[in-house]
Structure formats: C-alpha cells, structure tokens
Amino acid sequence: MKICGTGTVCAHGRGMAALESVLTSGAVPPSQIAVPFRDVPFPVYAVAPEILKDRTVLGEMRRADRFSKMATLAAYDAMAESGATLENPERVGIIFATAFGPHNTTFSFLDDILNYGDAGVSPTIFSNSVHNAAVSYISHTLKIKGPTWTITSFHDPFQQALLLAQVWLDEGRCDQVLVGAGDECGMVLNYVCSQKLAIAETAAQMRPFFNTAGPAVIPGELSVFFLLSRDTSGGVQIILRQKDLPAPDLLIVDFESRQLDLRSAQIPTGCWSHLIGATPVSTAFSCAVAGLMLQRQKVYCAGNLLNGYGGINSDFLSVRLQRIECNGKIGLYKLEEAV
Amino acid sequence: MNSGPILITGMGVISAAGTGLEASLRSMAAGERNVGPLTLFESPVKLPVFEVRGLPPRQTPGRMRTMDLLEPALNEALAAAHLSSSSGLRIGVALGTTVACQLNDLDFYSTWREKHSAPLASVDGYLNGNLAEAVAARLGAGGPALVVVNACSSGTDAISAAMSWLKAGLCDLAIAGGADELNRIPLAGFKALGVASDEPCAPFDADRKGLNLGEGAGVLVLETAAGAARRGVQSPLRVCGYGSSSDAYHLTAPHPEGEGLIRAVNAALQQAGIQPSDIAFVNAHGTSTPDNDKVEGRVLQKIFGQGIKVLSTKGYTGHTLGAAGGIEAVFTAAGLSNGWIPGSAGFQTLDAEIGFCPTLGNTKISGHYALSTSLAFGGNNTALVIGLEEPA
C-alpha cells in the first residue's frame, strides 16, 4: 500500500511540517495540568486547543467534540498532502482505529444524567458520544462515500485497521482508503492511568530506554491518518506481511521497552514516545515518523541514545534507509521499484 | 485471494425472542412478542424494551452484560460448527457492538465525580471486555481480531470483515457477528433524540412511532469451503456478498432518497453475482422510526419491486444496536434454510408513503438468496447477501 498523504495532530502541533520540526528539535515537554486526585501536577502530552480552531476545515463541526475534530483535521491533512481529488468518492473508504473512543463525551453524557436526569439529556452529546461520530464527520467534511468504519481494540488497533485496508484494496472494494488512529486524554482516564500505570512523577518528558527501574509513562493523545492506495510503483509503501523480506534498517517501538526482542540487539532501534506520550495508538505515529524518515532519507534523533538495546547512535545516521519496521509487525519501505 | 464460497458452518443467537435459534424460531412462528417494561435497571425513562430474560447469574464480578449475552450465542455457534475451544486453527474474530466499547458505568463515574477516586472493578471489566480480544483469548485464536463500532450496522460489518479475511487467507475460520446489552445510556439517548416509541414498535406500519431497544447477540462461524471440507464439515449456507457506503449527509438522519443504501445493496448483489430478482426476501433494518422505514421501504421497492417479501425481525427482538446485524444475519440464514420467515410483527396498516406491506404472517420462502440490510448513525449503510446452495 502506498502512502499518498499523511496527516498528524499531536501535542507538538498539526501537520507534517510541525512533525519534522519537532523531530529535528528533538523534544517537546508535556503539559503539566492540575488534577483533583493528586497534589502534584499531572503530565500529559495534550493537543493544544488552538490547534482545533481551524474554521476552514471545521466550520460545519461546531457541535463536534475535540476527539472528532482531531480526527477530522488529521484526515483532511492526509487527503490534502496527497493532492488527490475526489473524482470517485464512492471508491474511497475510511477506517479509523481507537482504543477508548470519545470517552470525554461519554462522561459529559453521564454528567447530563446526573445533573438533569435521564429525561433531560442532550441528544447532541449522545450523538457525539458514539465511537463512529468522528468518521461520520470526516466523511461529511471530505464527501467520502465509500465504506466508512470505526474499529476498536486495546491491542494494536492501528495494525488491525491497516490489515483491513489492505484487504479492501486487494479485493477491489476501494481504490484508496483513509486509515487512521486516534485517542484522547481526559480527567477520568488520567485518573485510571494514575492507578494502573507508573506515571512519571517529576520527569520533564518521557525518556524511552532511559529508565532502569521500569518504564515511567506519561499519557498522550493524538490523531494520525494516512491516505493509502494500491499503487506499488514507488514511494513509501506499507507492507504487513513481510515474512520473506529482508531485515529492516531500523526498528521503531511505540514506547518504553515494549516489543523489544532479540533482534533489537542487532538492529538500531528508535522510539519517539517523548514527543507524544503513551497511547494505545502510538503505532500510527511511529508509522508517520518512519514514512517521513524514508522520504527524507534522514534519521532523526531518538532522544535517548544509550539504552542497552542497540539504540540509534551517531554512526547509524549515515546509513541509507530503505526499510523500517514499526511495532514489530508493520513494515515501511521506500521503493525504487516494486518489492 | 480465495475465490470459493464462504460457508456458514455454525450459528448462535440470543435475544428477547429466545435463547438459541430453535427457541427463537418457535417463538417467532407463534407470533410472541416479549416486549415489556424495563426491569434490568432503574430509569425514569419509561419505555417498552425487549429484555433477555433468564440469563445465568454473572460469574465474574464487573463483567459487562454484553459478554454474558455473547457467551451463549458463541457457544451455540461453536457447537453447531463442531468446534472445540482448542481447535488449533488460525481463527479470526470480528464482532460488532456499541455499548460494550464505552466506559460508561454510571456508578463508577458518579463516585469518581464526587470523590475524585473510585473502585476500578468496572474499569477492569471494560478493559477486559473487548469482545474480540476476549473471544480470541478464549479460543486461542491467532488470526485477526477486531471490534467494529459502526453503531447499528456493526454486526453486519463485522461479518463482512470475517468474510474478507477468509478470502484473503488471513485465517482458517472466523467468528463473526455482534452483541449488545440494554443500557441506560442509549435508552436515555434515543429518548432524547425523539426516535423511541412508548408503544411496541411497528416496523413499516403507517402509525409507527419509533423504535424499542433490545439486547442480544448473533454469532456466525464462517469458513472457506476448502477449510470446512478439511474439517469434515458441510453447510449449504454461505455469505455471498456485502456492500457498504456512507451517505456523507448527516450524523443521525439517513439520506432522504436512500442514495447510500441503494449503492450498498447494489454492491452486495454485484459481489454475490446475482440480480435483484434472485432475492427471495429481505430482512430489513426496519427500526420502526418514521425516517428509517420510509427511506428504506422506498429503496427496497425501487430495487426489488412491489412483490418482494420484506420483514423486520425487530418486532421480535427490538433494536439490538450493534448486535442487530449478527442476529438478523442468523435469522436470514435460518429463513432461507427452513423455507419460511415469520410475519413482520407489529405491522397493521399500510403506509402510503412506503407503498408495500411486509409479511403478515409466517410466509413460505423459495429461493436461494436473501438480503439483510443495516443502516446506522453516522450515515452508514450496509447490505449482506446470504445464500443457500442450489441442489446439485
């Protein structure tokens, strides 16, 4: 599957220029927010509210929640970066992967029940609380009329979305598929994270590979979309089944020591979680980073160089990049010719 | 790509119409409508619902009711397909839902809101309650696993995902369908949207006032003909075609001309390689809301003509949201297989704007293909063609 366009909405900003900028500068600090469940500020890689104020794209989405706005902006940018014109909107599909969906809107609906009773709830909030509201907004904004799906899973939701997109393209159901992933942070989920994960107490940022006493996590939120097509003639390709293909030049892991295997000792390994925090859809961001590196033929600094697992070092920066593997299962390849 | 047929080798279902396929068919044949007041939880919203009665007491504290509903349907389907939990096969799992994907426990949230701290049992139930991940873990699956959350078309869409995986060779066998529970959130939400009826639903009836919520699960076991043959299993039933489209029109209302639904139905017929005249009957989405039934009824008449046999089984199950596509696929397949479909419960008076009567009582069916349609929040339209092998 060829990556025709990519859109990103993350804590560091919106779009590929913002991504390249932060990859070059090498770090972004999380927001430190006041929370009612602990005395010290809580770190979160949150998308800034001003990023979601694009009236051109979101003009007809005044009632939409921020989860849908993040997704719509990323999808819009992926389509725009591709330069594709929608000549046949019935042949374009959407697959959006999320672990938690628009949970803040669900809690707003529960607030309505608690404040006004079951008979006093807002129908608008209810409509926006369903998981597929974001995709509905995307299809409406971009006038896409093919199959438009939302899928959910707590483990590798983006990979499942890619797998489905590949099947749709292979069986001719679509000519192009907008594939994306997104999740948002929120106060209740922050609380759940604080109870279930080792949340960094004082760290200024996530420090992948750095912690010897175990991973310290900072929750993050993002939305990333790719416009994919069946064109295998060149460009950056995503290939899911790669049994017989050569070893990658670089491994990218989502966060901390997840997915590190024996190969990591031999193959340079990078992690960019210090730019986005930890989210169940980090793999989509890793793929965006990989795609950009393959395009630019450049390895961006992974933040922490010494990790004991063969992390990226300065010698590697001169290696010609052709193959990058994300999350142990997704291969991105820069093609001179079809693989 | 596998170009052979995708067989339905097992089916299981649970809803207010009954626990198990045979009990459900008996109940529908007798015209029973198990609709009544809500007893599962307290709510000031007094609307008739289709509850599943007699589920065994919950074994695992905090487990979502949706999982309790899914389990008997899954067990029935696995038994029908002669599958054990440790088959050694590469199994794909695609299931649809709406309620089970949300962290929506009101007790947890109200406690957290008040104290900024709350027990996490319901959160654990949610995190362990992803239907596909739970089923995959139980079966030692190893193929793809995902939960489709396309609102009311989720179950139908999940079946198509399984069908596509099998054709692409991504798994040896697939579990597909949907499950959903009655829950306070959609009950209040649909009431607020003004689409819930305070009377028993009446799909396609001139005096229909809206939907009644229901709950349940419908599960299919799908496999390629070659895979089934290797296991020594046969079945004349198959999933033949699927179409899906987006209206790109409105978050909650269908396109007034049903433009997206027409495309979905035509795509499903095309994939099945059949003509509209080959369809023996349509198990329609038929929610009993004024908008849905008008748009859907007109589209069905436009594509299939006046004589097409149409029913909505929601008159027996209520609208089971993410489970609906799975439940209705099971009933559609059973209709083809058994040669009869029940009357479309609740219908009494012809709606001139729709222009046809659904089935008025148990109706004999002859033919080899049937269609099940689903329309959803967000403008999703889906159609599934189910087939019955023609005798050699």
Side-chain angles (χ1 to χ4, degrees):
Chain A
M1 296 182 285
K2 180 180 180 180
I3 298 178
C4 305
T6 307
T8 60
V9 174
C10 307
H12 57 262
R14 170 187 169 194
M16 297 307 283
L19 175 60
E20 188 159 21
S21 172
V22 76
L23 285 168
T24 305
S25 64
V28 58
S31 308
Q32 301 287 336
I33 61 172
V35 293
F37 53 84
R38 74 180 205 178
D39 295 332
V40 294
F42 190 86
V44 179
Y45 285 91
V47 172
E50 55 268 24
I51 291 174
L52 306 179
K53 288 182 179 168
D54 182 331
R55 290 187 181 177
T56 306
V57 179
L58 306 175
E60 293 184 32
M61 292 176 56
R62 288 186 308 280
R63 294 179 175 183
D65 58 22
R66 64 194 299 277
F67 179 79
S68 288
K69 287 178 179 174
M70 283 165 51
T72 302
L73 287 175
Y76 178 92
D77 288 350
M79 189 63 88
E81 197 201 40
S82 76
T85 53
L86 266 188
E87 289 170 7
N88 200 348
E90 292 85 4
R91 299 284 304 159
V92 182
I94 306 172
I95 305 171
F96 182 52
T98 179
F100 293 99
H103 60 271
N104 290 321
T105 306
T106 300
F107 296 132
S108 295
F109 191 77
L110 297 182
D111 279 329
D112 262 12
I113 289 179
L114 294 169
N115 294 337
Y116 310 116
D118 297 53
V121 297
S122 157
T124 302
I125 294 177
F126 175 63
S127 305
N128 281 282
S129 73
V130 297
H131 270 47
N132 66 326
V135 160
S136 176
Y137 282 117
I138 294 168
S139 71
H140 191 253
T141 301
L142 297 175
K143 308 301 176 206
I144 288 172
K145 296 185 172 182
T148 53
W149 283 34
T150 306
I151 65 169
T152 186
S153 156
F154 293 119
H155 302 294
D156 292 330
F158 181 65
Q159 189 206 336
Q160 295 295 339
L162 284 177
L163 193 62
L164 191 62
Q166 181 171 306
V167 168
W168 282 4
L169 291 169
D170 287 349
E171 68 185 10
R173 192 168 294 282
C174 297
D175 298 329
Q176 294 170 308
V177 185
L178 261 174
V179 183
D183 264 309
E184 64 175 349
C185 292
M187 200 57 83
V188 180
L189 213 56
N190 288 343
Y191 167 71
V192 173
C193 289
S194 77
Q195 300 300 299
K196 289 191 169 289
L197 302 173
I199 299 293
E201 283 288 336
T202 56
Q205 64 179 55
M206 276 185 71
R207 305 184 76 181
F209 304 139
F210 197 77
N211 297 281
T212 52
V217 170
I218 298 176
E221 62 182 4
L222 57 79
S223 198
V224 174
F225 263 89
F226 301 90
L227 181 67
L228 303 177
S229 78
R230 285 188 73 186
D231 179 3
T232 55
S233 63
V236 175
Q237 302 272 335
I238 292 183
I239 297 175
L240 291 170
R241 282 163 285 172
Q242 45 186 335
K243 260 185 192 167
D244 304 323
L245 295 174
D249 302 315
L250 172 67
L251 297 173
I252 298 182
V253 295
D254 286 352
F255 60 92
E256 295 300 322
S257 55
R258 268 181 63 185
Q259 300 110 25
L260 288 178
D261 57 24
L262 288 175
R263 288 191 307 161
S264 306
Q266 282 84 44
I267 301 173
T269 302
C271 178
W272 280 266
S273 65
H274 57 293
L275 304 183
I276 56 165
T279 124
V281 292
S282 300
T283 307
F285 180 79
S286 299
C287 287
V289 172
L292 190 63
M293 288 198 293
L294 288 167
Q295 263 185 5
R296 298 282 191 266
Q297 284 297 294
K298 185 175 179 181
V299 177
Y300 299 98
C301 177
N304 295 283
L305 304 182
L306 300 173
N307 56 50
Y309 291 99
I312 297 171
N313 58 46
S314 56
D315 295 338
F316 178 69
L317 298 181
S318 60
V319 170
R320 188 170 183 283
L321 274 177
Q322 194 157 12
R323 294 175 284 274
I324 300 179
E325 186 179 292
C326 298
N327 196 17
K329 291 166 185 168
I330 302 168
L332 279 85
Y333 295 79
K334 179 164 178 59
L335 294 190
E336 311 300 336
E337 54 190 358
V339 169
Chain B
M1 298 288 284
N2 182 335
S3 58
I6 302 300
L7 306 189
I8 302 171
T9 55
M11 300 194 287
V13 69
I14 183 170
S15 72
T19 299
L21 182 55
E22 288 307 314
S24 303
L25 293 176
R26 270 199 311 274
S27 168
M28 291 193 288
E32 295 170 3
R33 303 190 72 194
N34 300 317
V35 60
L38 182 71
T39 65
L40 278 172
F41 49 87
E42 290 293 322
S43 172
V45 175
K46 302 299 179 194
L47 294 171
V49 293
F50 286 82
E51 282 182 4
V52 171
R53 315 275 185 192
L55 267 184
R58 188 163 298 171
Q59 301 297 314
T60 311
R63 187 164 102 148
M64 299 183 99
R65 182 174 169 84
T66 303
M67 291 293 294
D68 294 339
L69 291 163
L70 175 61
E71 197 159 279
L74 175 65
N75 290 342
E76 183 185 12
L78 294 175
H82 306 290
L83 264 174
S84 67
S85 288
S86 52
S87 63
L89 295 169
R90 199 172 35 135
I91 298 174
V93 184
L95 294 165
T97 192
T98 63
V99 172
C101 66
Q102 292 184 321
L103 180 51
N104 59 13
D105 187 286
L106 195 62
D107 291 337
F108 161 75
Y109 181 70
S110 62
T111 304
W112 186 87
R113 202 171 83 144
E114 186 184 340
K115 301 177 178 173
H116 303 304
S117 160
L120 295 178
S122 61
V123 175
D124 292 335
Y126 167 69
L127 293 173
N128 294 320
N130 181 283
L131 303 182
E133 290 174 359
V135 171
R138 175 184 152 182
L139 298 179
L146 59 81
V147 168
V148 182
V149 282
N150 294 341
C152 309
S153 67
S154 301
T156 308
D157 292 324
I159 292 167
S160 89
M163 180 184 173
S164 292
W165 291 339
L166 286 162
K167 283 185 173 291
L170 294 172
C171 52
D172 304 318
L173 179 149
I175 309 294
D180 243 328
E181 68 189 65
L182 268 170
N183 181 281
R184 201 166 165 178
I185 310 294
L187 190 69
F190 281 106
K191 167 80 171 169
L193 282 169
V195 297
S197 173
D198 56 5
E199 296 174 4
C201 64
F204 299 111
D205 189 272
D207 300 319
R208 66 191 180 279
K209 294 173 68 178
L211 58 80
N212 306 142
L213 286 177
E215 61 179 355
V219 175
L220 305 178
V221 175
L222 303 179
E223 48 196 315
T224 61
R230 277 194 295 275
R231 292 201 309 118
V233 174
Q234 290 183 325
S235 171
L237 288 167
R238 60 231 15 227
V239 183
C240 303
Y242 164 79
S244 174
S245 72
S246 169
D247 283 341
Y249 172 73
H250 192 270
L251 188 55
T252 57
H255 187 282
E257 305 305 321
E259 185 246 350
L261 180 59
I262 292 170
R263 280 189 284 113
V265 171
N266 285 337
L269 296 175
Q270 186 181 5
Q271 187 180 14
I274 61 173
Q275 300 298 315
S277 57
D278 293 320
I279 292 292
F281 71 93
V282 178
N283 190 350
H285 190 56
T287 57
S288 183
T289 64
D291 277 358
N292 177 88
D293 290 10
K294 184 169 75 177
V295 170
E296 188 179 19
R298 284 173 170 176
V299 165
L300 294 179
Q301 205 175 150
K302 185 172 181 178
I303 295 175
F304 297 102
Q306 278 276 352
I308 185 68
K309 295 183 174 75
V310 176
L311 84 159
S312 165
T313 49
K314 289 187 175 67
Y316 301 100
T317 64
H319 191 349
T320 57
L321 305 179
I327 291 172
E328 288 158 24
V330 170
F331 290 155
T332 304
L336 269 181
S337 179
N338 296 336
W340 68 273
I341 53 175
S344 193
F347 178 85
Q348 288 186 321
T349 309
L350 175 70
D351 183 340
E353 283 198 287
I354 296 175
F356 70 81
C357 294
T359 51
L360 296 174
N362 295 338
T363 301
K364 197 172 175 191
I365 291 297
S366 60
H368 295 281
Y369 298 95
L371 187 78
S372 179
T373 51
S374 300
L375 288 76
F377 254 33
N380 259 20
N381 307 276
T382 63
L384 189 70
V385 174
I386 292 177
L388 181 71
E389 184 183 34
E390 297 188 35

